[in-house]
Amino acid sequence: MSDQRLSLAIADYDRVAALADGRVAVPGAELDVRTLAPSETFYRMLNEDAFDVSEMSLSSYLIARQQGRAWTAIPVFPNRNAFHLGLYVSERSGIRRPEELRGRRVGLTEYQVTAAVWTRGVLAHDFGVDPTAVEWYVERTPELSHGGETGFRPAPGVQVHPMPSGQTLESMLVAGELDAVLPSPYPGMASRLNRTSEHDLKRIPGVRRLFADPWAEAARVYREHGFLHCNHTVVVQNRHLERDPDLALNLFRAFVEAKQLAYDDLRRLERSSLLLGGPRLDDQQEVFGDDPFPYGFAGSAKALRTLVGYSHEQGLISAKPEVEDLFATSTLDT
């Protein structure tokens, strides 16, 4: 079988650089790598099935699969974090603790994005703040959003409002019309969908992170739950998997190899412009181990089941799928 040429849309993570520059190859396939902001990639996949292989929001993937999209994931999770750490508050709100978000107005890029699902899940399960206790405002319009492509409707009892025309997360937070915001977690990556950058929020007097010590909170999440939040996966158009039954596992192994090459190069931080890069890397390894971005099904099954539970209880999916059914069968032993 001749190599099939496949487009791959993914962000410029160091963990995929070796795929983009050709150091790592995929047997049976030639990759045409397109570097895009995640929100842009997801919108184009949901809107027009634009790519053969694609980074994909896990939240939108759950919804899209339920709606019959002909995609199957491989257990590659290129983006992880503790996404509630992205919450910013205004000093005028007086909010010091996550429990104080009850009864407040919180802005999001949009309601269904995976970072927001994880954030609401943590707020509800770790801090007792139910989504119905918050008034939510969304920055993206239905015409240019992931939810607009999947027919998003809020669950009963949940208040979700569109922002007034011309307003942004930043402008409403500065004006005191929002108490807290969760901007896109990919600052510096241009996207038609995002109008507020975390980089800008950091420079605004009177605006600060809700969690004053994000490192300590990330460590708490990892120690208590056993994982950091997996935000994205990689999906493949089913027609390509049907044409080449080995493709899913070959892609998975290539992503693993590329990630390991990035890990092998991490000690360059000690010579980079990041002050104290070496000690920071030591701290990361002490808490999160040598593989803070684990790929493979077995090591992420608990996180995936947690996210499926959050998505279901937040009304984004009507039934909870078995997580094994979301991934190519050949990759389930990874």
Side-chain angles (χ1 to χ4, degrees), residues 58-317:
L58 272 165
S59 171
S60 290
Y61 177 52
L62 293 175
I63 297 166
R65 276 286 294 239
Q66 184 172 265
Q67 295 176 347
R69 297 273 183 157
W71 307 336
T72 300
I74 60 175
V76 168
F77 310 101
N79 188 274
R80 287 180 183 260
N81 208 321
F83 286 97
H84 58 298
L85 300 180
L87 283 164
Y88 283 78
V89 297
S90 65
E91 290 286 2
R92 75 173 72 185
S93 72
I95 296 172
R96 297 290 170 185
R97 299 179 298 116
E99 293 87 348
E100 294 168 354
L101 290 171
R102 291 190 196 93
R104 301 303 189 105
R105 298 160 299 178
V106 178
L108 306 168
T109 54
E110 60 178 293
Y111 196 81
Q112 84 172 43
V113 297
T114 318
V117 177
W118 279 117
T119 295
R120 289 189 300 269
V122 171
L123 289 176
H125 289 266
D126 291 16
F127 298 105
V129 182
D130 191 83
T132 59
V134 175
E135 199 167 351
W136 305 96
Y137 287 78
V138 295
E139 185 178 66
R140 296 175 185 167
T141 64
E143 296 76 23
L144 198 61
S145 66
H146 306 154
E149 297 302 315
T150 59
F152 167 75
R153 296 289 184 275
V158 176
Q159 301 180 72
V160 181
H161 310 288
M163 287 186 180
S165 178
Q167 297 280 24
T168 66
L169 295 172
E170 178 182 343
S171 67
M172 291 187 71
L173 185 66
V174 170
E177 296 168 339
L178 292 175
D179 302 301
V181 299
L182 184 75
S184 167
Y186 317 107
M189 301 191 73
S191 169
R192 293 174 294 167
L193 281 69
N194 297 328
R195 291 179 284 157
T196 296
S197 170
E198 185 178 5
H199 289 162
D200 295 330
L201 294 177
K202 291 176 181 179
R203 293 192 286 264
I204 300 172
V207 172
R208 58 172 176 79
R209 288 184 182 272
L210 172 58
F211 292 90
D213 188 344
W215 187 263
E217 174 60 13
R220 178 198 70 81
V221 168
Y222 187 75
R223 286 169 175 149
E224 290 187 11
H225 297 281
F227 57 82
L228 287 177
H229 306 152
C230 45
N231 214 36
H232 304 162
T233 188
V234 171
V235 299
V236 187
Q237 300 279 0
N238 286 350
R239 65 181 184 274
H240 298 302
L241 298 175
E242 291 162 2
R243 179 175 183 265
D244 180 1
D246 297 325
L247 178 61
L249 193 55
N250 286 339
L251 278 168
F252 172 79
R253 288 170 174 165
F255 272 97
V256 170
E257 183 180 351
K259 182 184 66 168
Q260 187 57 53
L261 288 175
Y263 284 171
D264 292 344
D265 204 35
L266 263 181
R267 282 294 165 184
R268 288 174 62 87
L269 287 174
E270 295 173 330
R271 305 188 300 279
S272 76
S273 300
L274 177 66
L275 289 173
L276 301 177
R280 292 185 187 196
L281 181 56
D282 293 340
D283 290 343
Q284 172 178 299
Q285 291 177 325
E286 181 179 352
V287 176
F288 303 109
D290 292 330
D291 187 9
F293 292 89
Y295 296 169
F297 180 77
S300 294
K302 181 180 179 182
L304 292 165
R305 292 189 178 100
T306 300
L307 180 65
V308 165
Y310 288 172
S311 297
H312 183 254
E313 69 187 24
Q314 293 173 27
L316 294 169
I317 52 176

